[in-house]
Amino acid sequence: MSKTSIIIPVHMAKELLGKCIASIRNHTDIPYEIIVIDNGSNDGTDEYCRKERITFVSLPWKHAVSDACNLGLRLSTGENLLLLKHDVLASRNWLSGMLQGLNSQEDIGIVRPSLTPIQIHLNKHVADEDVLERCILFKRDLLNKIGFLQTPQLFADRVFHDYCSRASQAGYQLMIAGKVKLNPDSTIERVAAHTP
């Protein structure tokens, strides 16, 4: 089975990162690697990564999320590429569910998870924007075809959404498949679960 590179950009959130990584380790039984991009933190994230033997890069100051993600993509070795924010908790079968969706059709470009139970829906990428901006999965072939992430001119925090739009413009389908949770300790507002 092909390996998935899980790239996690993080800034000043060591405790949430620890919970995220613990959930990945507890709920992922297929090949993966974790790459943390410590985006200018001074909270001990680098020491945590060393202690946990996690591949990481510690940037000296905070960069744009797109730049941090692109650095992780350049370091990755997996055929499948997953960009994940540090406040996401993996659930049982989360990655296998997303990979099933990604490999279900040739024209699937990007898969994102849902907060609802495992399901597969095509082109439902405009709802659950908060989840979309926290986790996307795609193949290296897509990266080779449409390039690296860019920072949108209007909404710099919608980097993943922008990448999905570029994939869609290139003729790829977008899909919801798999389930994750938002960390209950996160300072973000919890997204209400719904059935698309």
Side-chain angles (χ1 to χ4, degrees):
M1 181 176 284
S2 59
K3 181 170 67 175
T4 299
S5 296
I6 301 172
I7 298 154
I8 309 174
V10 62
H11 174 70
M12 301 297 288
K14 180 179 74 171
E15 289 185 17
L16 292 177
L17 175 67
K19 292 178 181 181
C20 174
I21 289 175
S23 72
I24 292 169
R25 288 175 168 170
N26 289 334
H27 297 292
T28 312
D29 56 3
I30 53 180
Y32 69 93
E33 68 177 349
I34 295 175
I35 301 172
V36 170
I37 306 299
D38 178 9
N39 202 359
S41 303
N42 62 6
D43 63 349
T45 296
D46 54 347
E47 288 93 354
Y48 164 78
C49 290
R50 279 190 199 94
K51 179 183 172 189
E52 294 295 319
R53 298 176 183 251
I54 296 166
T55 300
F56 76 100
V57 173
S58 190
L59 300 173
W61 62 84
K62 187 175 181 186
H63 291 68
V65 171
S66 56
D67 294 339
C69 288
N70 287 339
L71 178 56
L73 290 169
R74 286 184 176 95
L75 295 173
S76 66
T77 61
E79 178 186 328
N80 309 304
L81 305 168
L82 191 142
L83 301 176
L84 184 70
K85 295 288 182 74
H86 63 269
D87 56 4
V88 173
L89 295 175
S91 304
R92 186 172 172 266
N93 297 326
W94 75 293
L95 184 54
S96 58
M98 292 178 71
L99 286 169
Q100 178 187 356
L102 187 64
N103 295 311
S104 64
Q105 294 176 205
E106 284 293 319
D107 63 347
I108 300 298
I110 295 179
V111 172
R112 70 165 176 88
S114 173
L115 291 173
T116 57
I118 300 281
Q119 57 193 314
I120 296 177
H121 297 286
L122 288 174
N123 284 332
K124 190 67 177 176
H125 62 282
V126 293
D128 273 349
E129 291 297 328
D130 281 345
V131 180
L132 171 58
E133 286 301 328
R134 285 178 170 76
C135 181
I136 58 173
L137 172 69
F138 51 97
K139 292 181 181 176
R140 188 168 295 278
D141 288 346
L142 178 70
L143 177 67
N144 293 337
K145 287 178 183 172
I146 71 170
F148 288 91
L149 278 70
Q150 301 170 356
T151 300
Q153 291 184 346
L154 295 178
F155 301 103
D157 60 337
R158 299 186 75 193
V159 174
F160 293 179
H161 184 277
D162 178 71
Y163 201 68
C164 289
S165 295
R166 287 169 53 203
S168 185
Q169 290 167 7
Y172 290 95
Q173 297 266 8
L174 310 178
M175 176 182 279
I176 298 173
K179 178 184 176 181
V180 297
K181 295 181 274 188
L182 298 183
N183 196 312
D185 295 336
S186 176
T187 56
I188 60 168
E189 180 179 333
R190 187 174 174 82
V191 179
H194 77 284
T195 303

